[in-house]
Amino acid sequence: MQENEGISEMTTTRTPLIAGNWKMNGTVAESVALTRAVDDGAPGGCELLICPPAVLIPPVAAALKGGNVAVGGQDCHFAGSGAHTGDIAAVMLAEAGCGYVILGHSERRADHGETDELVRSKTEAAHAAGLIAIVCVGETLAERDGGETLARIGSQLEGSLPAAITAANTVIAYEPVWAIGTGRTASAADVAEVHTHIRGDIERRFGADLAGGIRILYGGSMKPSNAAELLAIDGVDGGLIGGASLKAEDFLAIAASCP
Ligand code: 13P
């Protein structure tokens, strides 16, 4: 390797990850049908992940034939057990068949007041339970309009990522808050700028090897019609998909768009 070789030139082995965040949607019957359709149609060349509501994790996990599709939670508590009514421990997700958990989604940050510090402690709990944490960051429209996007993302990463992450146990998801569920997507140039900034931040804090290996997803109104363009951006290693993950046809079309 050249001494001055940067992360963008490094040979990477980052398998694209197409993750469906079902949010608070689905009955048992719908979930099983959707899971089977995704499982049956899963293309090669990328990893697929389904993150259903917690109570639907067991039927979703049971419906999978054990191939190319993983299951994840949408949140976990930072403690391993105890008096935390309504919460779910990371180890419970693992036991239910999860390999991943989404943490610090902007809807949890907004609806439940989750701070970067809390997201960091949840990420540590996820890692201790053997789960891969998908840590979400993203700016609001006011922050973007105020020219604060990169600073905001930098501070979220700084606060939300524990010191001991690895490229194998952590995925970053860049989700501009204003693009979630709105039909608006960030431009390719904006996504490229933020992803490059995130990987640079990771390199400064964790080193070039980790930065070259960690997957950084884009999320926010990704759909079959824009997936190919977004997934082709240098440094975009997959997508975190909300609405379009609720239709097998759309989710699979996005997966098939992986370069
Ligand atoms: P949409 O794809 O519905 O915009 O949601 C994105 C998201 O929040 C995924 O976590």
Side-chain angles (χ1 to χ4, degrees):
M1 188 188 288
Q2 302 276 312
E3 231 178 87
N4 63 352
E5 194 167 325
I7 46 177
S8 55
E9 282 83 42
M10 286 178 64
T11 311
T12 63
T13 51
R14 302 192 300 262
T15 305
L17 175 64
I18 301 297
N21 175 7
W22 287 4
K23 306 190 179 182
M24 198 171 69
N25 292 291
T27 63
V28 172
E30 287 165 353
S31 304
V32 168
L34 179 52
T35 300
R36 288 200 178 125
V38 168
D39 202 20
D40 288 345
C46 66
E47 205 182 327
L48 291 189
L49 170 66
I50 292 173
C51 298
V55 294
L56 297 176
I57 289 169
V60 164
L64 289 168
K65 292 196 286 281
N68 200 9
V69 185
V71 187
Q74 298 178 10
D75 177 49
C76 70
H77 197 272
F78 62 83
S81 65
H84 302 288
T85 303
D87 278 310
I88 295 169
V91 69
M92 295 171 178
L93 294 177
E95 200 179 31
C98 291
Y100 287 82
V101 60
I102 298 169
L103 294 172
H105 191 282
S106 60
E107 286 152 15
R108 293 209 58 89
R109 291 177 186 263
D111 296 353
H112 300 276
E114 293 199 1
T115 61
D116 292 335
E117 191 182 9
L118 181 64
V119 175
R120 187 175 68 236
S121 56
K122 290 181 174 202
T123 305
E124 286 167 345
H127 291 162
L131 298 176
I132 300 172
I134 301 179
V135 178
C136 302
V137 296
E139 81 286 3
T140 62
L141 191 55
E143 287 162 348
R144 175 156 285 273
D145 289 345
E148 296 159 24
T149 298
L150 299 181
R152 180 78 189 112
I153 301 232
S155 72
Q156 286 178 327
L157 287 173
E158 174 71 28
S160 304
L161 293 178
I165 65 164
T166 69
N169 72 14
T170 306
V171 174
I172 311 286
Y174 167 53
E175 298 205 306
V177 177
W178 50 271
I180 294 176
T182 60
R184 289 183 63 187
T185 44
S187 70
D190 288 342
V191 174
E193 182 190 30
V194 174
H195 278 240
T196 301
H197 182 81
I198 291 173
R199 212 176 291 281
D201 255 18
I202 302 273
E203 184 182 9
R204 274 188 295 281
R205 185 165 164 202
F206 299 102
D209 277 357
L210 196 151
I214 198 166
R215 290 179 292 183
I216 306 177
L217 314 183
Y218 169 80
S221 297
M222 193 183 277
K223 46 189 183 256
S225 60
N226 61 23
E229 186 192 8
L230 289 162
L231 295 170
I233 297 167
D234 193 31
V236 172
D237 306 312
L240 183 53
I241 296 118
S245 72
L246 297 171
K247 274 197 197 160
E249 197 188 338
D250 288 356
F251 190 57
L252 291 171
I254 292 171
S257 305
C258 279

